[in-house]
Amino acid sequence: MSDSLKFSTRAVRATQHRFKDAHPVTTPIYLSTTYERNTDGSYNHDFIYSRVENPNRLLLEQTIADLEQGVAAYCFASGMAAIHAIFQGLRPGDHVLIPDDIYYNIYALLKEVFIPWGLEISLVDMSDLEQIEKAIQENTALIWAETPSNPQLKLTDIAAVSKLAKAHNCLLAVDNTWPSPVLMQPLQLGADIVMHSTTKYFGGHSDVLGGAVVFKETSDYSERVRRMQSLAGGVPAPFDCWLVSRGIQTLSVRVLTQSQTAMKLATYLEGNSAIEHVLYPGLTSHPQHDIAQAQMPNGFGAMLSVLIKGDAERAIAISNALQLFTTATSLGAVESLVEHRKSVEGPESATPDNLLRISVGLEAVEDLIRDWENALGA
Ligand code: PLP
């Protein structure tokens, strides 16, 4: 810096980004909100302003599109922000089919925002093809599936529903948060859109919120969803994108191990006389086990629910007696969690009173089973 410059000028200019040729092995975090133009006035890679695009976000979007085998992915500040963009991309007067056991916050978003805005909604049992076909209308624009469903672990046959969607000229969107692309790839099964709460398995450590929308093909509709990033601005911060990208590096080892542990825990719980029923697609007792085998070839996921013999009070007492399962909401991270869902979803919820939802983490399966043995015996 020239000595002729004043102290305050030197303090600002001397700290500008300098080591552009450093070649770091891991991706730096690009906190800069604004980007320098080339001398001809152009910008590189749409890096103009961080709401429009940012290197950490672009890297994450390209990675998620690649893992889901889509052509484009757009990341948002949370799963709900991604879902909001999907519905905002539709038009008032469009009709949407949603599962009758959809993640309860999505239902609240539709009821409080999008129905007043002009979307029409029908709730159906997404495991019942006949019901789905009957509910499709002239103006149906989108079918939404969440499989396995939360918290009853019902499955939607994606290949079959995608045929229905195509026959009726509407889009099929699949919330693939629970299986992750390690266990299920909806675009390969015929879906048009995949949505993720990257807060869960992608992040994997309960320390970052995020959401993503992946498209099999780009279209006017996908462009409207993309525009929501820069128009509404619900974009993830660079550090959040960096954390999710780092989580993705260990996604497959985590999910495969967690899924194997969940299978063993589900099998143990099914044989315990204090349990009324275990809901897990990997068990042959699951009514759609054959669909699970076909569309989740690498494992059945790390989420399961159990119906405890007894009432809500007994279920809550058992969740409190567990030492290695934190009683908390959310899922998909390294630590095991347990939750009495009815208490979270409220009195209108159709979730049974005696249901506990379990998110299996990366602890040793022997320890987790012993923990349940102790809690159920207590
Ligand atoms: N979809 C599913 C299946 C979820 O479980 C959740 C959150 O729990 C969401 C979407 C919403 O994601 P987020 O909490 O990142 O907004």
Side-chain angles (χ1 to χ4, degrees):
M1 282 276 128
S2 155
D3 284 348
S4 67
L5 294 170
K6 300 284 185 218
F7 181 93
S8 58
T9 309
R10 295 207 314 276
V12 173
R13 298 313 304 185
T15 53
Q16 297 297 300
H17 185 25
R18 274 202 234 170
F19 305 114
K20 294 182 183 169
D21 58 352
H23 300 293
V25 171
T26 61
T27 306
I29 303 169
Y30 292 84
L31 293 175
S32 187
T33 51
T34 188
Y35 291 82
E36 191 179 349
R37 284 177 194 262
N38 297 317
T39 47
D40 64 0
S42 66
Y43 284 103
N44 298 330
H45 304 285
D46 268 355
F47 300 143
I48 301 167
Y49 182 64
S50 214
R51 176 160 33 77
V52 179
E53 197 52 280
N54 160 280
N56 295 102
R57 195 170 98 209
L58 184 60
L59 183 86
L60 178 61
E61 290 175 338
Q62 289 176 344
T63 304
I64 294 177
D66 179 50
L67 295 178
E68 284 288 4
Q69 302 194 53
V71 297
Y74 306 119
C75 286
F76 293 85
S78 68
M80 288 307 298
I83 293 162
H84 184 279
I86 291 174
F87 292 126
Q88 188 79 70
L90 299 175
R91 298 293 192 207
D94 281 346
H95 174 244
V96 180
L97 280 189
I98 60 168
D100 54 11
D101 57 348
I102 194 166
Y103 171 55
Y104 73 108
N105 265 319
I106 305 179
Y107 182 65
L109 175 72
L110 290 165
K111 205 166 107 178
E112 293 172 32
V113 178
F114 284 104
I115 293 175
W117 178 74
L119 280 191
E120 281 178 44
I121 307 293
S122 298
L123 282 84
V124 292
D125 178 348
M126 273 299 158
S127 62
D128 182 340
L129 285 176
E130 235 173 84
Q131 251 200 59
I132 300 170
E133 183 152 35
K134 267 196 203 142
I136 296 176
Q137 305 176 177
E138 272 294 288
N139 59 341
T140 304
L142 184 81
I143 301 176
W144 184 274
E146 187 185 311
T147 176
S149 73
N150 178 7
Q152 307 226 31
L153 290 112
K154 289 199 281 183
L155 300 187
T156 300
D157 182 339
I158 296 174
V161 177
S162 79
K163 282 191 191 126
L164 279 182
K166 273 176 194 60
H168 293 272
N169 203 23
C170 55
L171 298 169
L172 172 62
V174 177
D175 183 338
N176 200 26
T177 299
W178 279 29
S180 90
V182 176
L183 304 182
M184 190 172 82
Q185 304 206 337
L187 300 184
Q188 298 305 299
L189 295 164
D192 305 286
I193 302 163
V194 159
M195 175 266 149
H196 278 286
S197 163
T198 58
T199 313
K200 316 299 182 191
Y201 291 99
F202 278 74
H205 295 78
S206 300
D207 54 12
V208 58
L209 279 179
V213 186
V214 192
F215 288 95
K216 185 150 79 182
E217 286 169 10
T218 49
S219 61
D220 289 350
Y221 170 71
S222 73
E223 187 53 22
R224 289 201 294 277
V225 172
R226 187 187 74 83
R227 285 283 289 155
M228 283 307 125
Q229 290 184 306
S230 54
L231 291 179
V235 290
F239 181 51
D240 292 359
C241 295
W242 185 90
L243 277 174
V244 175
S245 297
R246 191 171 71 161
I248 286 174
Q249 293 176 331
T250 56
L251 180 68
S252 63
V253 277
R254 282 187 285 106
V255 168
L256 290 173
T257 304
Q258 286 168 269
S259 176
Q260 284 159 10
T261 303
M263 182 71 209
K264 289 182 188 151
L265 181 64
T267 307
Y268 161 76
L269 290 169
E270 194 169 45
N272 190 301
S273 58
I275 300 288
E276 185 183 295
H277 195 52
V278 180
L279 306 168
Y280 184 66
L283 296 174
T284 50
S285 58
H286 190 286
Q288 297 163 296
H289 179 61
D290 54 334
I291 296 174
Q293 283 180 307
Q295 69 187 22
M296 301 173 80
N298 300 327
F300 304 101
M303 295 300 297
L304 61 143
S305 292
V306 286
L307 304 180
I308 305 287
K309 273 188 191 156
D311 56 10
E313 214 173 303
R314 164 96 175 124
I316 292 168
I318 287 170
S319 71
N320 287 329
L322 289 161
Q323 301 296 306
L324 297 177
F325 291 76
T326 306
T327 48
T329 199
S330 200
L331 58 116
V334 295
E335 67 281 333
S336 291
L337 303 177
V338 64
E339 189 175 42
H340 182 251
R341 280 306 282 181
K342 186 72 176 258
S343 312
V344 184
E345 294 174 4
E348 278 180 33
S349 147
T351 297
D353 284 347
N354 59 341
L355 181 146
L356 291 178
R357 191 187 78 176
I358 303 165
S359 171
V360 173
L362 277 176
E363 303 88 346
V365 64
E366 298 83 355
D367 292 332
L368 296 182
I369 289 177
R370 198 170 323 109
D371 198 26
W372 271 93
E373 212 161 46
N374 293 339
L376 292 170

